């Protein structure tokens, strides 16, 4: 897949996509945290913007596992928080998915592309 599609982003403008996350690793040590809920507002092969009521740290030392469904496909991806903005009822986060290439990430890039095509068709 061409690099130009690597960071193709889809914006959930009408209704956010819902999913869950948990802390997978802290300082390279595997942990077993409770699951948190999230609302995804935009998504790409490189990361996503999501809202949660939980206060998470902005650091590369904490690796999260994100799970969600898009276009009838289930995704489970690892990532870390790169940005955090306080909102009235929680936090808006920017999460980054590492550049490792795997089947899930390739499938996510294809799914985001399909979401954008369907969105363009609905506008015409």
């Amino acid at each position: 897949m061409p690099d130009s599609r690597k960071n193709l982003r889809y914006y959930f403008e009408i209704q956010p996509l819902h999913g869950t996350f948990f802390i997978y690793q802290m300082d390279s040590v595997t942990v077993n945290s409770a699951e948190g809920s999230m609302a995804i507002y935009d998504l790409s092969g490189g990361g996503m913007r999501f809202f949660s009521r939980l206060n998470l740290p902005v650091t590369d030392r904490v690796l999260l596992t994100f799970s969600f469904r898009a276009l009838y496909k289930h995704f489970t991806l690892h990532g870390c928080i790169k940005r955090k903005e306080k909102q009235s009822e929680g936090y808006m986060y920017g999460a980054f998915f590492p550049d490792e290439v795997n089947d899930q990430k390739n499938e996510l890039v294809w799914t985001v592309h399909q979401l954008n095509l369907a969105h363009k068709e609905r506008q015409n």
Side-chain angles (χ1 to χ4, degrees):
M1 193 157 298
D3 283 341
S4 63
R5 289 192 184 175
K6 179 178 164 187
N7 290 317
L8 183 67
R9 184 166 297 277
Y10 183 76
Y11 297 90
F12 297 94
E13 297 168 344
I14 297 172
Q15 181 177 352
L17 183 67
H18 294 280
T20 60
F21 64 89
F22 64 90
I23 297 174
Y24 171 68
Q25 282 185 347
M26 291 179 71
D27 293 323
S28 300
V29 176
T30 301
V31 297
N32 188 15
S33 80
E35 209 171 62
S37 62
M38 65 178 173
I40 301 169
Y41 285 87
D42 67 60
L43 181 64
S44 77
M48 66 180 169
R49 185 171 60 96
F50 71 96
F51 174 85
S52 175
R53 293 179 188 263
L54 299 176
N55 186 0
L56 302 168
V58 179
T59 178
D60 292 338
R61 295 175 27 225
V62 175
L63 189 63
L64 299 152
T65 298
F66 300 100
S67 297
F68 55 89
R69 292 183 64 80
L71 288 183
Y72 308 105
K73 296 177 184 74
H74 183 264
F75 292 93
T76 302
L77 298 160
H78 298 298
C80 58
I81 304 297
K82 291 293 188 176
R83 288 184 315 281
K84 174 167 70 171
E85 179 184 316
K86 177 75 172 118
Q87 305 277 308
S88 61
E89 295 185 20
Y91 300 87
M92 189 66 73
Y93 293 100
F96 168 75
F97 304 140
D99 282 336
E100 65 188 46
V101 176
N102 59 46
D103 291 339
Q104 279 275 291
K105 195 162 179 181
N106 288 337
E107 186 72 18
L108 178 59
V109 170
W110 182 87
T111 299
V112 168
H113 180 68
Q114 294 302 309
L115 286 166
N116 277 308
L117 288 176
H119 181 75
K120 286 179 185 173
E121 286 178 13
R122 284 191 303 269
Q123 288 181 331
N124 292 335

